[in-house]
Amino acid sequence: MSNHVDTTCVQGGYQPNNGEPRTPPIVASTTFKYTSSEQMSRLFDLSESGYFYTRLQNPTSDTVAQKICEMEGGAAAMLTSSGQAANFFALFNICNAGDHIVASSAIYGGTYNLINVTMRKMGIECTFVNPDCTPEELDAAFQSNTKAVFAESLSNPSVKVLDFDKFVNAAHSHGVPLIVDNTFPTPINCRPIEFGVDIVTHSTTKYMDGHATVVGGAIIDSGNFDWMKYAEKFPGMTQPDDSYHGVTYAKDFGKAAFITKATVQLMRDLGSTPAPINAWILGTHLESLGVRMQRHCENAQKVAEWLAQDPRISWVNYPGLPGDEYHELAQRYMPNGTCGVIAFGVPGGREKVSAVLDALKMIAIATHVADARSCTLYPAGTTHRQLTEEQLEEAGVGIDLVRLSCGIENADDIIADLDQALDAVKD
Ligand SMILES: *Cc1c(COP(=O)(O)O)cnc(C)c1O
C-alpha cells in the first residue's frame, strides 16, 4: 500500500477479490452461523479467530478499522461507538482501581470529565499537567502507580500543538505508554506513531466522518510498547486471563495484544460497539478526508489571517499563523497543516460574545467542530460550562474565547459572514 496517507484513505482497508463488491458490504447481522460447535468453542477460547457476534467484531467495522490503522501506520485497530468510548477503553484497558494517569489539562471537555470525575469514581486517579510545562514539572507528575500518559496532539478547542518529544520521553522514562487523541489533525496532517506515541485514539465524529452524520471512535495501537518489559505494572496484559481459559495477551497476540484485550474484554463487557451501517458511512466519508483536510486548512489559514488584522478581535490562536505560540511545534509535527479550527477572542464579556454569534447568518451555532459546514461555539457557555474559571484557564478556554470551525465552503463567504456579524453588534 502507498505510504501517502491521502491515497490510503481512499484505497486502504478493503481489497475486494475478482467479482466481489467494489465497496465493502454492510454486514447487518448480529450473529454468524457455524456448522460445528467445536469450532464455536475455539472461537470462544480465542484459539481461532472468526466472527461470532457483532458486539465484539463485525466485518464491515473491521474494514474501516483496518483503513484507519493503515492511515495511522499502526499494527492493530478497533472502532468504538464514540470518541468517549475510545478514550475510556484505551485507558481502562491498562488501568485498574488504585492506578494513576498523567494527563494534559488541555483536552476536550468530555475527556476531562471522563478522567476527572467518572474514572476517579472507579478508583483511578489522575494528575493533570499544563502541556507547556517543563520536562521537570512533567516528570514530577508521575507516581509509582502511574500506568499511562494521555494528551491530545492538537487540543480541542484551544488548538495547542503537543510537544511530542517531551511527552514521549517522559512516558517512556517511567515505563508507561503515551496515549494521544489525534482527532483534530487526523493522520492526514499528523501521524503520532512516527513520533514515538504508543496508542492513538480518535473521535471519528469530527473530520473523519466530516459531515456531522455519525458519532464514532477508533483506537489504533502501534504495537511498539513492550508490555513484558514492565510485566508487573501491567498484569492484565502480561498474566493469564481466566475469563479466556488463561490466554496471556502480551504473549499470545504479539502486536495485536492491546486491541485484542480491548475487544474481547471491554467490548464484550461494556459493548460500546458501532452499528455496521455507521462504520460503513464513516468508511465512505474517509475516502475524501485528504482533500477535505486540505480545504479546511486553507480556509482556516485565510480566515485566521483576516481575523488577526481586524481591530474588533482581541487575539487569534491558529498554529498556521507565523506569530502563533504553537507555530514552531506545528512546523515540526504538522508541517502540511493543522486543522480548520480557530480560537479567537471577542472583547466585551459573555453577552457581547453571544450577540456576535447570534448575528451570524451562514455559520451555524453547533456543539460540533470539524464538519463540512462552518460552525461556531462559545465553549465557556456550553461544552466547558461545568468548569470553574480556574479550570477554564487551565484548559486554555478563556471567558472571551470563540471557537470557529472553518468548513469547506468558499473562504470569502466565511469571512463575509464574520464581518457582518461583528458589524451588527458594534457598540
Ligand atoms: C469530540 C471529541 C471527543 C469525544 O468524541 P465523541 O465522538 O463525541 O464521543 C474526544 N476527543 C476529542 C479531541 C474530541 O474533539
Side-chain angles (χ1 to χ4, degrees), residues 347-383:
R350 273 180 197 267
E351 274 171 31
K352 171 79 181 293
V353 180
S354 300
V356 172
L357 298 201
D358 291 353
L360 290 165
K361 290 181 175 145
M362 178 183 80
I363 303 168
I365 298 172
T367 310
H368 202 247
V369 288
D371 76 75
R373 289 158 289 256
S374 290
C375 62
T376 187
L377 187 72
Y378 182 33
T382 53
T383 49

PDB file of all heavy atoms in Angstrom, residues 347-383:
ATOM      1  N   PRO A 347     -13.783  40.803  22.614  1.00  0.00           N
ATOM      2  CA  PRO A 347     -13.804  41.565  23.863  1.00  0.00           C
ATOM      3  C   PRO A 347     -15.231  41.985  24.228  1.00  0.00           C
ATOM      4  O   PRO A 347     -16.117  42.007  23.373  1.00  0.00           O
ATOM      5  CB  PRO A 347     -12.944  42.789  23.539  1.00  0.00           C
ATOM      6  CG  PRO A 347     -13.007  42.941  22.057  1.00  0.00           C
ATOM      7  CD  PRO A 347     -13.226  41.571  21.487  1.00  0.00           C
ATOM      8  N   GLY A 348     -15.450  42.275  25.518  1.00  0.00           N
ATOM      9  CA  GLY A 348     -16.739  42.840  25.913  1.00  0.00           C
ATOM     10  C   GLY A 348     -17.598  41.937  26.779  1.00  0.00           C
ATOM     11  O   GLY A 348     -18.721  42.314  27.126  1.00  0.00           O
ATOM     12  N   GLY A 349     -17.140  40.727  27.098  1.00  0.00           N
ATOM     13  CA  GLY A 349     -17.877  39.880  28.035  1.00  0.00           C
ATOM     14  C   GLY A 349     -18.852  38.921  27.383  1.00  0.00           C
ATOM     15  O   GLY A 349     -19.087  38.956  26.170  1.00  0.00           O
ATOM     16  N   ARG A 350     -19.437  38.087  28.259  1.00  0.00           N
ATOM     17  CA  ARG A 350     -20.318  36.998  27.815  1.00  0.00           C
ATOM     18  C   ARG A 350     -21.416  37.426  26.856  1.00  0.00           C
ATOM     19  O   ARG A 350     -21.669  36.793  25.839  1.00  0.00           O
ATOM     20  CB  ARG A 350     -20.992  36.351  29.029  1.00  0.00           C
ATOM     21  CG  ARG A 350     -20.197  35.241  29.679  1.00  0.00           C
ATOM     22  CD  ARG A 350     -20.958  34.678  30.859  1.00  0.00           C
ATOM     23  NE  ARG A 350     -20.082  33.890  31.738  1.00  0.00           N
ATOM     24  CZ  ARG A 350     -19.929  32.563  31.628  1.00  0.00           C
ATOM     25  NH1 ARG A 350     -20.580  31.888  30.719  1.00  0.00           N
ATOM     26  NH2 ARG A 350     -19.115  31.925  32.448  1.00  0.00           N
ATOM     27  N   GLU A 351     -22.128  38.557  27.203  1.00  0.00           N
ATOM     28  CA  GLU A 351     -23.271  38.950  26.378  1.00  0.00           C
ATOM     29  C   GLU A 351     -22.860  39.383  24.987  1.00  0.00           C
ATOM     30  O   GLU A 351     -23.519  39.065  23.997  1.00  0.00           O
ATOM     31  CB  GLU A 351     -24.052  40.074  27.071  1.00  0.00           C
ATOM     32  CG  GLU A 351     -25.060  39.510  28.039  1.00  0.00           C
ATOM     33  CD  GLU A 351     -25.716  40.554  28.910  1.00  0.00           C
ATOM     34  OE1 GLU A 351     -25.868  41.712  28.440  1.00  0.00           O
ATOM     35  OE2 GLU A 351     -26.056  40.219  30.056  1.00  0.00           O
ATOM     36  N   LYS A 352     -21.734  40.097  24.919  1.00  0.00           N
ATOM     37  CA  LYS A 352     -21.232  40.563  23.629  1.00  0.00           C
ATOM     38  C   LYS A 352     -20.852  39.360  22.753  1.00  0.00           C
ATOM     39  O   LYS A 352     -21.203  39.313  21.568  1.00  0.00           O
ATOM     40  CB  LYS A 352     -20.013  41.481  23.860  1.00  0.00           C
ATOM     41  CG  LYS A 352     -19.238  41.893  22.619  1.00  0.00           C
ATOM     42  CD  LYS A 352     -19.902  43.023  21.850  1.00  0.00           C
ATOM     43  CE  LYS A 352     -19.121  43.414  20.605  1.00  0.00           C
ATOM     44  NZ  LYS A 352     -17.822  44.017  20.864  1.00  0.00           N
ATOM     45  N   VAL A 353     -20.152  38.401  23.346  1.00  0.00           N
ATOM     46  CA  VAL A 353     -19.740  37.226  22.576  1.00  0.00           C
ATOM     47  C   VAL A 353     -20.978  36.517  22.022  1.00  0.00           C
ATOM     48  O   VAL A 353     -21.046  36.198  20.826  1.00  0.00           O
ATOM     49  CB  VAL A 353     -18.916  36.236  23.446  1.00  0.00           C
ATOM     50  CG1 VAL A 353     -18.491  35.027  22.616  1.00  0.00           C
ATOM     51  CG2 VAL A 353     -17.692  36.915  24.037  1.00  0.00           C
ATOM     52  N   SER A 354     -21.975  36.325  22.880  1.00  0.00           N
ATOM     53  CA  SER A 354     -23.197  35.641  22.437  1.00  0.00           C
ATOM     54  C   SER A 354     -23.895  36.423  21.327  1.00  0.00           C
ATOM     55  O   SER A 354     -24.405  35.832  20.368  1.00  0.00           O
ATOM     56  CB  SER A 354     -24.166  35.456  23.611  1.00  0.00           C
ATOM     57  OG  SER A 354     -23.543  34.683  24.602  1.00  0.00           O
ATOM     58  N   ALA A 355     -23.911  37.757  21.438  1.00  0.00           N
ATOM     59  CA  ALA A 355     -24.590  38.583  20.432  1.00  0.00           C
ATOM     60  C   ALA A 355     -23.913  38.460  19.066  1.00  0.00           C
ATOM     61  O   ALA A 355     -24.591  38.396  18.032  1.00  0.00           O
ATOM     62  CB  ALA A 355     -24.618  40.049  20.883  1.00  0.00           C
ATOM     63  N   VAL A 356     -22.584  38.405  19.056  1.00  0.00           N
ATOM     64  CA  VAL A 356     -21.870  38.247  17.780  1.00  0.00           C
ATOM     65  C   VAL A 356     -22.261  36.920  17.146  1.00  0.00           C
ATOM     66  O   VAL A 356     -22.596  36.847  15.956  1.00  0.00           O
ATOM     67  CB  VAL A 356     -20.335  38.339  17.975  1.00  0.00           C
ATOM     68  CG1 VAL A 356     -19.608  37.971  16.683  1.00  0.00           C
ATOM     69  CG2 VAL A 356     -19.926  39.738  18.431  1.00  0.00           C
ATOM     70  N   LEU A 357     -22.241  35.860  17.947  1.00  0.00           N
ATOM     71  CA  LEU A 357     -22.568  34.540  17.394  1.00  0.00           C
ATOM     72  C   LEU A 357     -24.014  34.510  16.885  1.00  0.00           C
ATOM     73  O   LEU A 357     -24.299  33.946  15.826  1.00  0.00           O
ATOM     74  CB  LEU A 357     -22.347  33.424  18.422  1.00  0.00           C
ATOM     75  CG  LEU A 357     -20.920  33.226  18.938  1.00  0.00           C
ATOM     76  CD1 LEU A 357     -20.749  31.819  19.506  1.00  0.00           C
ATOM     77  CD2 LEU A 357     -19.866  33.451  17.871  1.00  0.00           C
ATOM     78  N   ASP A 358     -24.920  35.154  17.632  1.00  0.00           N
ATOM     79  CA  ASP A 358     -26.331  35.167  17.222  1.00  0.00           C
ATOM     80  C   ASP A 358     -26.530  35.918  15.895  1.00  0.00           C
ATOM     81  O   ASP A 358     -27.505  35.668  15.181  1.00  0.00           O
ATOM     82  CB  ASP A 358     -27.207  35.820  18.303  1.00  0.00           C
ATOM     83  CG  ASP A 358     -27.286  34.953  19.560  1.00  0.00           C
ATOM     84  OD1 ASP A 358     -26.769  33.813  19.527  1.00  0.00           O
ATOM     85  OD2 ASP A 358     -27.839  35.417  20.582  1.00  0.00           O
ATOM     86  N   ALA A 359     -25.618  36.856  15.578  1.00  0.00           N
ATOM     87  CA  ALA A 359     -25.769  37.656  14.351  1.00  0.00           C
ATOM     88  C   ALA A 359     -25.234  36.941  13.097  1.00  0.00           C
ATOM     89  O   ALA A 359     -25.409  37.416  11.984  1.00  0.00           O
ATOM     90  CB  ALA A 359     -25.057  39.003  14.529  1.00  0.00           C
ATOM     91  N   LEU A 360     -24.601  35.802  13.275  1.00  0.00           N
ATOM     92  CA  LEU A 360     -24.077  35.073  12.113  1.00  0.00           C
ATOM     93  C   LEU A 360     -25.231  34.523  11.274  1.00  0.00           C
ATOM     94  O   LEU A 360     -26.266  34.115  11.815  1.00  0.00           O
ATOM     95  CB  LEU A 360     -23.179  33.920  12.573  1.00  0.00           C
ATOM     96  CG  LEU A 360     -21.839  34.341  13.187  1.00  0.00           C
ATOM     97  CD1 LEU A 360     -21.207  33.161  13.932  1.00  0.00           C
ATOM     98  CD2 LEU A 360     -20.890  34.877  12.119  1.00  0.00           C
ATOM     99  N   LYS A 361     -25.050  34.525   9.951  1.00  0.00           N
ATOM    100  CA  LYS A 361     -26.120  34.056   9.069  1.00  0.00           C
ATOM    101  C   LYS A 361     -25.828  32.682   8.466  1.00  0.00           C
ATOM    102  O   LYS A 361     -26.692  31.823   8.443  1.00  0.00           O
ATOM    103  CB  LYS A 361     -26.360  35.079   7.971  1.00  0.00           C
ATOM    104  CG  LYS A 361     -27.007  36.343   8.527  1.00  0.00           C
ATOM    105  CD  LYS A 361     -27.281  37.367   7.457  1.00  0.00           C
ATOM    106  CE  LYS A 361     -28.034  38.556   8.050  1.00  0.00           C
ATOM    107  NZ  LYS A 361     -27.634  39.821   7.402  1.00  0.00           N
ATOM    108  N   MET A 362     -24.611  32.486   7.962  1.00  0.00           N
ATOM    109  CA  MET A 362     -24.288  31.182   7.357  1.00  0.00           C
ATOM    110  C   MET A 362     -23.664  30.245   8.389  1.00  0.00           C
ATOM    111  O   MET A 362     -24.012  29.064   8.460  1.00  0.00           O
ATOM    112  CB  MET A 362     -23.318  31.363   6.188  1.00  0.00           C
ATOM    113  CG  MET A 362     -22.919  30.037   5.547  1.00  0.00           C
ATOM    114  SD  MET A 362     -21.700  30.195   4.224  1.00  0.00           S
ATOM    115  CE  MET A 362     -20.174  30.355   5.152  1.00  0.00           C
ATOM    116  N   ILE A 363     -22.739  30.785   9.173  1.00  0.00           N
ATOM    117  CA  ILE A 363     -22.022  29.964  10.150  1.00  0.00           C
ATOM    118  C   ILE A 363     -22.992  29.615  11.278  1.00  0.00           C
ATOM    119  O   ILE A 363     -23.558  30.508  11.912  1.00  0.00           O
ATOM    120  CB  ILE A 363     -20.804  30.721  10.704  1.00  0.00           C
ATOM    121  CG1 ILE A 363     -19.871  31.131   9.549  1.00  0.00           C
ATOM    122  CG2 ILE A 363     -20.066  29.897  11.743  1.00  0.00           C
ATOM    123  CD1 ILE A 363     -18.781  32.125   9.947  1.00  0.00           C
ATOM    124  N   ALA A 364     -23.172  28.325  11.504  1.00  0.00           N
ATOM    125  CA  ALA A 364     -24.170  27.877  12.490  1.00  0.00           C
ATOM    126  C   ALA A 364     -23.569  27.818  13.887  1.00  0.00           C
ATOM    127  O   ALA A 364     -22.369  27.613  14.057  1.00  0.00           O
ATOM    128  CB  ALA A 364     -24.682  26.503  12.102  1.00  0.00           C
ATOM    129  N   ILE A 365     -24.438  27.994  14.888  1.00  0.00           N
ATOM    130  CA  ILE A 365     -24.039  27.704  16.263  1.00  0.00           C
ATOM    131  C   ILE A 365     -24.318  26.225  16.477  1.00  0.00           C
ATOM    132  O   ILE A 365     -25.467  25.786  16.337  1.00  0.00           O
ATOM    133  CB  ILE A 365     -24.833  28.561  17.275  1.00  0.00           C
ATOM    134  CG1 ILE A 365     -24.542  30.044  17.030  1.00  0.00           C
ATOM    135  CG2 ILE A 365     -24.513  28.156  18.708  1.00  0.00           C
ATOM    136  CD1 ILE A 365     -25.414  30.988  17.836  1.00  0.00           C
ATOM    137  N   ALA A 366     -23.284  25.443  16.752  1.00  0.00           N
ATOM    138  CA  ALA A 366     -23.472  23.994  16.877  1.00  0.00           C
ATOM    139  C   ALA A 366     -22.469  23.430  17.875  1.00  0.00           C
ATOM    140  O   ALA A 366     -21.347  23.913  17.964  1.00  0.00           O
ATOM    141  CB  ALA A 366     -23.275  23.319  15.525  1.00  0.00           C
ATOM    142  N   THR A 367     -22.923  22.423  18.642  1.00  0.00           N
ATOM    143  CA  THR A 367     -21.991  21.733  19.539  1.00  0.00           C
ATOM    144  C   THR A 367     -21.204  20.757  18.706  1.00  0.00           C
ATOM    145  O   THR A 367     -21.344  19.553  18.826  1.00  0.00           O
ATOM    146  CB  THR A 367     -22.741  20.947  20.643  1.00  0.00           C
ATOM    147  OG1 THR A 367     -23.659  21.829  21.228  1.00  0.00           O
ATOM    148  CG2 THR A 367     -21.787  20.420  21.695  1.00  0.00           C
ATOM    149  N   HIS A 368     -20.406  21.284  17.838  1.00  0.00           N
ATOM    150  CA  HIS A 368     -19.671  20.412  16.937  1.00  0.00           C
ATOM    151  C   HIS A 368     -18.502  21.179  16.376  1.00  0.00           C
ATOM    152  O   HIS A 368     -18.480  22.410  16.409  1.00  0.00           O
ATOM    153  CB  HIS A 368     -20.585  19.942  15.798  1.00  0.00           C
ATOM    154  CG  HIS A 368     -20.109  18.686  15.163  1.00  0.00           C
ATOM    155  ND1 HIS A 368     -19.648  18.629  13.883  1.00  0.00           N
ATOM    156  CD2 HIS A 368     -19.980  17.437  15.657  1.00  0.00           C
ATOM    157  CE1 HIS A 368     -19.269  17.384  13.616  1.00  0.00           C
ATOM    158  NE2 HIS A 368     -19.465  16.651  14.675  1.00  0.00           N
ATOM    159  N   VAL A 369     -17.551  20.446  15.881  1.00  0.00           N
ATOM    160  CA  VAL A 369     -16.483  21.045  15.089  1.00  0.00           C
ATOM    161  C   VAL A 369     -16.203  20.071  13.966  1.00  0.00           C
ATOM    162  O   VAL A 369     -16.644  18.924  14.006  1.00  0.00           O
ATOM    163  CB  VAL A 369     -15.163  21.209  15.874  1.00  0.00           C
ATOM    164  CG1 VAL A 369     -15.242  22.301  16.898  1.00  0.00           C
ATOM    165  CG2 VAL A 369     -14.722  19.900  16.502  1.00  0.00           C
ATOM    166  N   ALA A 370     -15.461  20.546  12.997  1.00  0.00           N
ATOM    167  CA  ALA A 370     -14.826  19.632  12.068  1.00  0.00           C
ATOM    168  C   ALA A 370     -15.783  18.938  11.127  1.00  0.00           C
ATOM    169  O   ALA A 370     -15.636  17.759  10.847  1.00  0.00           O
ATOM    170  CB  ALA A 370     -14.017  18.601  12.858  1.00  0.00           C
ATOM    171  N   ASP A 371     -16.812  19.644  10.658  1.00  0.00           N
ATOM    172  CA  ASP A 371     -17.545  19.069   9.532  1.00  0.00           C
ATOM    173  C   ASP A 371     -17.539  20.053   8.375  1.00  0.00           C
ATOM    174  O   ASP A 371     -16.981  21.144   8.480  1.00  0.00           O
ATOM    175  CB  ASP A 371     -18.940  18.580   9.951  1.00  0.00           C
ATOM    176  CG  ASP A 371     -19.956  19.681  10.155  1.00  0.00           C
ATOM    177  OD1 ASP A 371     -20.436  20.242   9.142  1.00  0.00           O
ATOM    178  OD2 ASP A 371     -20.288  19.973  11.318  1.00  0.00           O
ATOM    179  N   ALA A 372     -18.131  19.629   7.265  1.00  0.00           N
ATOM    180  CA  ALA A 372     -18.034  20.379   6.016  1.00  0.00           C
ATOM    181  C   ALA A 372     -18.605  21.792   6.123  1.00  0.00           C
ATOM    182  O   ALA A 372     -18.153  22.709   5.438  1.00  0.00           O
ATOM    183  CB  ALA A 372     -18.751  19.607   4.909  1.00  0.00           C
ATOM    184  N   ARG A 373     -19.602  21.980   6.988  1.00  0.00           N
ATOM    185  CA  ARG A 373     -20.229  23.287   7.166  1.00  0.00           C
ATOM    186  C   ARG A 373     -19.562  24.063   8.297  1.00  0.00           C
ATOM    187  O   ARG A 373     -19.349  23.522   9.390  1.00  0.00           O
ATOM    188  CB  ARG A 373     -21.717  23.114   7.520  1.00  0.00           C
ATOM    189  CG  ARG A 373     -22.585  22.621   6.366  1.00  0.00           C
ATOM    190  CD  ARG A 373     -23.845  21.981   6.901  1.00  0.00           C
ATOM    191  NE  ARG A 373     -23.489  20.712   7.533  1.00  0.00           N
ATOM    192  CZ  ARG A 373     -23.708  19.523   6.982  1.00  0.00           C
ATOM    193  NH1 ARG A 373     -24.342  19.430   5.842  1.00  0.00           N
ATOM    194  NH2 ARG A 373     -23.319  18.416   7.574  1.00  0.00           N
ATOM    195  N   SER A 374     -19.283  25.315   8.068  1.00  0.00           N
ATOM    196  CA  SER A 374     -18.670  26.132   9.119  1.00  0.00           C
ATOM    197  C   SER A 374     -19.612  26.230  10.305  1.00  0.00           C
ATOM    198  O   SER A 374     -20.830  26.378  10.137  1.00  0.00           O
ATOM    199  CB  SER A 374     -18.372  27.537   8.596  1.00  0.00           C
ATOM    200  OG  SER A 374     -17.314  27.470   7.663  1.00  0.00           O
ATOM    201  N   CYS A 375     -19.037  26.149  11.493  1.00  0.00           N
ATOM    202  CA  CYS A 375     -19.858  26.306  12.683  1.00  0.00           C
ATOM    203  C   CYS A 375     -19.036  26.918  13.801  1.00  0.00           C
ATOM    204  O   CYS A 375     -17.800  26.966  13.741  1.00  0.00           O
ATOM    205  CB  CYS A 375     -20.485  24.991  13.116  1.00  0.00           C
ATOM    206  SG  CYS A 375     -19.316  23.720  13.560  1.00  0.00           S
ATOM    207  N   THR A 376     -19.726  27.384  14.801  1.00  0.00           N
ATOM    208  CA  THR A 376     -19.051  28.085  15.877  1.00  0.00           C
ATOM    209  C   THR A 376     -19.688  27.741  17.212  1.00  0.00           C
ATOM    210  O   THR A 376     -20.833  27.292  17.276  1.00  0.00           O
ATOM    211  CB  THR A 376     -19.088  29.606  15.628  1.00  0.00           C
ATOM    212  OG1 THR A 376     -18.276  30.245  16.611  1.00  0.00           O
ATOM    213  CG2 THR A 376     -20.493  30.151  15.705  1.00  0.00           C
ATOM    214  N   LEU A 377     -18.911  27.944  18.259  1.00  0.00           N
ATOM    215  CA  LEU A 377     -19.393  27.599  19.588  1.00  0.00           C
ATOM    216  C   LEU A 377     -18.684  28.488  20.606  1.00  0.00           C
ATOM    217  O   LEU A 377     -17.546  28.909  20.401  1.00  0.00           O
ATOM    218  CB  LEU A 377     -19.057  26.130  19.877  1.00  0.00           C
ATOM    219  CG  LEU A 377     -19.636  25.552  21.160  1.00  0.00           C
ATOM    220  CD1 LEU A 377     -21.135  25.353  21.026  1.00  0.00           C
ATOM    221  CD2 LEU A 377     -18.984  24.211  21.481  1.00  0.00           C
ATOM    222  N   TYR A 378     -19.388  28.736  21.692  1.00  0.00           N
ATOM    223  CA  TYR A 378     -18.830  29.523  22.789  1.00  0.00           C
ATOM    224  C   TYR A 378     -18.571  28.543  23.945  1.00  0.00           C
ATOM    225  O   TYR A 378     -19.472  28.284  24.756  1.00  0.00           O
ATOM    226  CB  TYR A 378     -19.839  30.610  23.159  1.00  0.00           C
ATOM    227  CG  TYR A 378     -19.397  31.541  24.250  1.00  0.00           C
ATOM    228  CD1 TYR A 378     -18.053  31.898  24.411  1.00  0.00           C
ATOM    229  CD2 TYR A 378     -20.333  32.091  25.124  1.00  0.00           C
ATOM    230  CE1 TYR A 378     -17.667  32.752  25.418  1.00  0.00           C
ATOM    231  CE2 TYR A 378     -19.955  32.955  26.126  1.00  0.00           C
ATOM    232  CZ  TYR A 378     -18.618  33.275  26.273  1.00  0.00           C
ATOM    233  OH  TYR A 378     -18.233  34.114  27.267  1.00  0.00           O
ATOM    234  N   PRO A 379     -17.367  27.967  24.039  1.00  0.00           N
ATOM    235  CA  PRO A 379     -17.119  26.868  24.991  1.00  0.00           C
ATOM    236  C   PRO A 379     -17.421  27.220  26.443  1.00  0.00           C
ATOM    237  O   PRO A 379     -18.018  26.417  27.161  1.00  0.00           O
ATOM    238  CB  PRO A 379     -15.624  26.569  24.816  1.00  0.00           C
ATOM    239  CG  PRO A 379     -15.294  27.066  23.458  1.00  0.00           C
ATOM    240  CD  PRO A 379     -16.178  28.248  23.218  1.00  0.00           C
ATOM    241  N   ALA A 380     -17.052  28.426  26.885  1.00  0.00           N
ATOM    242  CA  ALA A 380     -17.265  28.769  28.297  1.00  0.00           C
ATOM    243  C   ALA A 380     -18.748  28.772  28.648  1.00  0.00           C
ATOM    244  O   ALA A 380     -19.123  28.640  29.820  1.00  0.00           O
ATOM    245  CB  ALA A 380     -16.638  30.117  28.606  1.00  0.00           C
ATOM    246  N   GLY A 381     -19.609  28.912  27.625  1.00  0.00           N
ATOM    247  CA  GLY A 381     -21.040  28.902  27.884  1.00  0.00           C
ATOM    248  C   GLY A 381     -21.697  27.559  27.591  1.00  0.00           C
ATOM    249  O   GLY A 381     -22.876  27.377  27.850  1.00  0.00           O
ATOM    250  N   THR A 382     -20.944  26.599  27.029  1.00  0.00           N
ATOM    251  CA  THR A 382     -21.587  25.332  26.624  1.00  0.00           C
ATOM    252  C   THR A 382     -20.771  24.108  27.057  1.00  0.00           C
ATOM    253  O   THR A 382     -20.924  23.640  28.174  1.00  0.00           O
ATOM    254  CB  THR A 382     -21.795  25.302  25.091  1.00  0.00           C
ATOM    255  OG1 THR A 382     -20.549  25.569  24.445  1.00  0.00           O
ATOM    256  CG2 THR A 382     -22.835  26.305  24.659  1.00  0.00           C
ATOM    257  N   THR A 383     -19.881  23.630  26.174  1.00  0.00           N
ATOM    258  CA  THR A 383     -19.145  22.380  26.445  1.00  0.00           C
ATOM    259  C   THR A 383     -18.338  22.423  27.729  1.00  0.00           C
ATOM    260  O   THR A 383     -18.105  21.402  28.357  1.00  0.00           O
ATOM    261  CB  THR A 383     -18.163  22.035  25.304  1.00  0.00           C
ATOM    262  OG1 THR A 383     -17.396  23.203  25.007  1.00  0.00           O
ATOM    263  CG2 THR A 383     -18.881  21.558  24.076  1.00  0.00           C
TER     264      THR A 383
END
